[in-house]
Amino acid sequence: MKATPDTATSGRRPELAVWKFASCDGCQLTLLDCEDELLGIADRLRISYFLEASSAPGPGPYDLSLVEGSITTPQDAERIRHIRAASRRLVTIGACATAGGIQALRNYADVAEYQAVVYARPDYVETLATSTPISAHVPVDFELRGCPIDRGQLVEVITAHLAGRNPDVPAHSVCFECKRRGTVCVTVAHGTPCLGPVTHAGCGALCPAYDRGCYGCFGPSNSVNFPSFVPLLRRDGMATLDVVRVLRTFNTGSPEFDAESRREAER
Amino acid sequence: MTGEAPTAVIGTEGMAELIRVLAARGRTVIGPTVRDGAIVLDELTDGDELPYGRGVELEAGHYRVRPRADGAAFAHSAGPQSWKTYLHPQRERQWNADRGSDGAWVVTEDDTPPPSYAFLGVRPCDLRAIAVQDRVLAGGPHSDNRYRARRERTFLVAVECTEPGATCFCTSMGAGPAVDGGYDLALTEVVDGGGHRFWARAGSDEGASVLAELPHLPADASLATVAHEKVSAAADRMGRTMPEVDLQALMRETLHADRWNDVAARCLTCGNCTMACPTCFCTSAEDVTDLTGDHAERWRRWESCFDLEFSHLPGGPVRASGRSRYRQWATHKLGTWYDQFDSSGCVGCGRCIVWCPVGIDLTEEAHALNAERAAGGPPGEGAA
Ligand code: SF4
Ligand code: SF4
Ligand code: SF4
Ligand code: SF4
């Protein structure tokens, strides 16, 4: 994300917009959940469009657009282009916007067939065959990972934007955070399967701290080695189907998890 | 310390009293205790928190706590943390900066008072590791003041090793299993027909005065001999060894070995080895600003050469491949550390072997590199 400090010094309050596509709202609510910082954010940014919080959307253009959700309909594919055109900086928030979300499971299925089974009048439903991340449609300035996103990282992205600096969001594995936190490794000490070694940091290694393996909510780290990693899951009791399933959750649409799950599924 | 070092024999009640005495002197006592299926380091307030009757089963990528019939408290090694957790904490504020009403920035160094620790159960390899970090962080012209302040206030109770783990190789690295100075108190645990006892020696004036406050068991002339025998027997029971060659030269001469491809195929670049290693010291700076833009902070956090961004320069990371990152780690530990700090960067504690999820073993890699060199592998010096 390029630094653009101009609005910070011009005296004008930068305009913030929060947009929703196919998603559960959890990531947007993370912004409302920033109790301690919310007043500060509202003080420094004009919240011009945020339907979760206000019913009077401003006209744009926007300095910072936070985009939640994936693209699943032709209308949404069109809408994101308008939002991009009206936004100086566009940041995706969460696994849906960044990797297609859990709804990207449709990418492995026949959507027309599902529609016929589920809906009485499938012809009323207009949908795409896939769920895709925002970056598949428009250029994205920064992608914030997580399902849901981490509150501290969201504040960091907004603060960094205001200060005109790059956000400090490390892309290494969850294991880094796990060791820093002083957690006992659940794989080494308990034989519990854990996706930490291939998963992007950001949660603070939450699950291992509660004696569970990491589920990969933040998607792939910037340096994955599945051919070495998957045998470890097998050693700790995961069958091929389990491996496919654990990779096919919120970040299944990420190229790395997708490719590995397809390789496994073909075994 | 002047004169002969005082020695004494203490029992488990003396051990409990040691914790109380150190705490009464205003120290935060850190030592081993069982938590979450491991023997971890944590604050101790009482002797019964020590892992009496627990040992560990170690292998590459494998750690399990196991009961011990003899009831020993210090018959374990290669826990998930090391003392650097306390001396060189994973995240630490360095300074604050505030914009004054005139717009000028005022920078103030973090003045959090340093804690005063007592470390109970420092293994000989860990004592060496602390000395290594002392050289890196507090030696030379750019000493880290906060590290130095914590270090100077730390009281060290070393415990010699009579029970090396399957992943230990301190003997190869000249770092154990006996202690040779650098402690306030040294203990050797002996459990036999004569009972559960610790042979204690003071290594500093404060160590001597602490020892004088503890209840002593009747002096037992043979105990020192038994303790010596157990420690020297331990030297012959190391689970791992390094090849008996000049490791610095081995690293220098195998930079282009095929073995690096082999290990890179296994390495997850997850960073666990460097985080668990008691000598790895790398950090990165973290600049924090608040929403007003009038307050900034500089923090420092543990970093690792396995992180792709660690070597990021304009144009991208210098060490993009897993091969180059593993090689950086191994050659730094065993080779270039000598050039930088005049010692090995590895003390043979075995933590990186145990806590690597896929069980990559530094000693096995060194043996393989040595074999490849002996077989006339590619020459080391020259362009990559
Ligand atoms: S518990 Fe999981 S995240 Fe933590 S160090 Fe082990 S493998 Fe990595
Ligand atoms: S390199 Fe491994 S064995 Fe050597 S000191 Fe570090 S963790 Fe211990
Ligand atoms: S091995 Fe890597 S993390 Fe450890 S001190 Fe060397 S460069 Fe730093
Ligand atoms: S050697 Fe092991 S612990 Fe170290 S980065 Fe590679 S896989 Fe992780």
Side-chain angles (χ1 to χ4, degrees):
Chain A
M1 184 149 98
K2 279 239 296 294
T4 51
D6 43 347
T7 49
T9 50
S10 68
R12 180 175 69 82
R13 256 197 317 164
E15 310 235 355
L16 172 77
V18 186
W19 309 94
K20 178 185 158 60
F21 289 84
S23 60
C24 77
D25 276 25
C27 290
Q28 301 187 51
L29 290 177
T30 303
L31 183 57
L32 291 181
D33 197 27
C34 294
E35 290 155 12
D36 295 338
E37 296 87 6
L38 197 57
L39 287 177
I41 291 171
D43 206 38
R44 292 298 317 280
L45 288 154
R46 213 169 85 81
I47 301 180
S48 306
Y49 188 91
F50 189 9
L51 288 181
E52 277 285 354
S54 116
S55 51
Y62 309 99
D63 293 286
L64 176 61
S65 276
L66 301 178
V67 179
E68 175 194 274
S70 69
I71 304 297
T72 54
T73 68
Q75 293 80 0
D76 281 353
E78 194 48 38
R79 188 159 61 100
I80 190 62
R81 272 189 265 284
H82 291 298
I83 292 171
R84 175 70 266 190
S87 307
R88 295 190 51 232
R89 181 170 305 168
L90 189 152
V91 173
T92 63
I93 56 170
C96 297
T98 303
I102 190 76
Q103 57 275 24
L105 284 175
R106 73 163 64 174
N107 303 357
Y108 307 98
D110 181 341
V111 169
E113 190 189 320
Y114 271 49
Q115 256 175 295
V117 175
V118 174
Y119 297 101
R121 292 292 307 270
D123 52 311
Y124 281 10
V125 181
E126 193 180 12
T127 188
L128 297 170
T130 55
S131 168
T132 44
I134 301 302
S135 64
H137 300 266
V138 296
V140 170
D141 296 302
F142 188 76
E143 297 184 315
L144 188 60
R145 305 288 198 90
C147 181
I149 53 171
D150 175 79
R151 196 167 63 175
Q153 288 203 326
L154 177 62
V155 172
E156 167 63 11
V157 164
I158 294 172
T159 312
H161 174 80
L162 288 168
R165 61 175 174 83
N166 291 325
D168 179 15
V169 177
H172 52 220
S173 74
V174 172
C175 299
F176 281 73
E177 297 187 304
C178 195
K179 277 284 176 294
R180 285 191 191 122
R181 188 173 178 146
T183 301
V184 175
C185 175
V186 300
T187 292
V188 170
H190 311 159
T192 302
C194 176
L195 287 188
V198 294
T199 299
H200 191 292
C203 63
L206 201 54
C207 288
Y210 291 91
D211 200 15
R212 306 177 349 157
C214 163
Y215 288 87
C217 304
F218 278 62
S221 77
N222 61 4
S223 180
V224 295
N225 181 355
F226 281 108
S228 174
F229 176 67
V230 169
L232 202 59
L233 298 180
R234 277 190 221 293
R235 181 200 70 185
D236 292 335
M238 278 195 166
T240 295
L241 188 60
D242 300 326
V243 176
V244 172
R245 281 186 177 146
V246 79
L247 292 170
R248 287 191 179 168
T249 67
F250 319 101
N251 289 283
T252 186
S254 70
E256 294 86 348
F257 282 13
D258 176 53
E260 190 57 25
S261 78
R262 287 180 195 274
R263 250 195 307 279
E264 279 297 304
E266 278 162 20
R267 288 173 78 94
Chain B
M1 198 171 56
T2 48
E4 185 101 334
T7 69
V9 179
I10 62 171
T12 51
E13 184 39 48
M15 179 59 71
E17 188 59 19
L18 174 61
I19 294 171
R20 287 192 284 270
V21 166
L22 291 168
R25 289 172 174 236
R27 296 184 178 277
T28 304
V29 183
I30 310 290
T33 191
V34 176
R35 173 183 36 93
D36 299 333
I39 297 177
V40 300
L41 298 175
D42 211 339
E43 186 172 347
L44 302 178
T45 55
D46 198 1
D48 61 14
E49 291 161 349
L50 288 166
Y52 285 114
R54 309 296 178 86
V56 289
E57 172 190 297
L58 304 176
E59 248 325 311
H62 176 92
Y63 180 104
R64 294 290 184 280
V65 177
R66 294 286 182 235
R68 282 184 68 87
D70 66 359
F74 295 99
H76 55 84
S77 54
Q81 312 126 310
S82 72
W83 305 99
K84 83 173 176 185
T85 301
Y86 299 94
L87 290 176
H88 182 45
Q90 58 94 7
R91 190 162 178 269
E92 183 178 27
R93 183 163 49 205
Q94 303 202 276
W95 46 255
N96 294 296
D98 289 283
R99 203 195 319 252
S101 45
D102 58 354
W105 285 93
V106 180
V107 177
T108 43
E109 205 176 332
D110 191 89
D111 57 359
T112 314
S116 173
Y117 290 121
F119 292 165
L120 175 56
V122 182
R123 314 327 296 251
C125 60
D126 288 339
L127 215 47
R128 296 291 175 96
I130 291 171
V132 168
Q133 286 215 327
D134 284 352
R135 273 194 294 282
V136 173
L137 297 168
H142 304 291
S143 163
D144 174 341
N145 292 335
R146 264 182 305 278
Y147 175 88
R148 184 187 281 274
R150 283 188 291 267
R151 182 65 182 86
E152 281 167 355
R153 285 167 180 73
T154 301
F155 184 95
L156 296 175
V157 184
V159 178
E160 290 187 304
C161 281
T162 53
E163 187 80 24
T167 53
C168 287
F169 56 103
C170 64
T171 309
S172 292
M173 307 313 292
V179 295
D180 61 357
Y183 54 82
D184 294 287
L185 270 182
L187 307 174
T188 315
E189 184 176 32
V190 176
V191 193
D192 60 14
H196 194 159
R197 297 149 298 157
F198 299 89
W199 179 50
R201 293 87 77 196
S204 69
D205 290 336
E206 193 184 357
S209 91
V210 167
L211 191 55
E213 284 189 56
L214 306 181
H216 294 178
L217 296 178
D220 165 354
S222 66
L223 187 62
T225 318
V226 174
H228 277 310
E229 279 167 10
K230 282 185 176 282
V231 173
S232 42
D236 299 327
R237 288 193 289 125
M238 293 289 140
R240 297 286 198 276
T241 57
M242 272 292 180
E244 288 180 25
V245 298
D246 176 343
L247 292 171
Q248 186 184 16
L250 176 63
M251 292 297 117
R252 198 171 51 232
E253 290 161 14
T254 54
L255 286 176
H256 305 295
D258 289 338
R259 184 67 185 188
W260 300 116
N261 293 332
D262 184 278
V263 66
R266 286 172 281 132
C267 177
L268 306 171
T269 62
C270 64
N272 271 301
C273 47
T274 59
M275 301 278 152
C277 177
T279 67
C280 273
F281 56 84
C282 283
T283 55
S284 66
E286 175 183 329
D287 287 327
V288 179
T289 49
D290 75 351
L291 284 160
T292 65
D294 294 331
H295 179 78
E297 295 176 5
R298 162 70 53 89
W299 290 72
R300 194 173 68 175
R301 66 169 178 246
W302 286 357
E303 190 40 277
S304 161
C305 52
F306 281 98
D307 185 354
L308 191 57
E309 288 159 18
F310 185 69
S311 65
H312 199 110
L313 294 177
V318 173
R319 289 188 284 268
S321 68
R323 171 188 156 106
S324 62
R325 280 176 273 158
Y326 185 86
R327 192 179 64 176
Q328 159 64 24
W329 139 261
T331 56
H332 193 205
K333 299 270 91 171
L334 303 177
T336 49
W337 207 289
Y338 287 99
D339 303 317
Q340 253 185 310
F341 306 111
D342 212 19
S343 79
S344 168
C346 172
V347 297
C349 72
R351 286 185 180 86
C352 57
I353 304 173
V354 171
W355 297 99
C356 170
V358 288
I360 291 172
D361 177 343
L362 188 61
T363 65
E364 187 187 330
E365 298 312 316
H367 281 288
L369 287 166
N370 193 36
E372 187 175 337
R373 180 177 63 170
E381 307 266 20

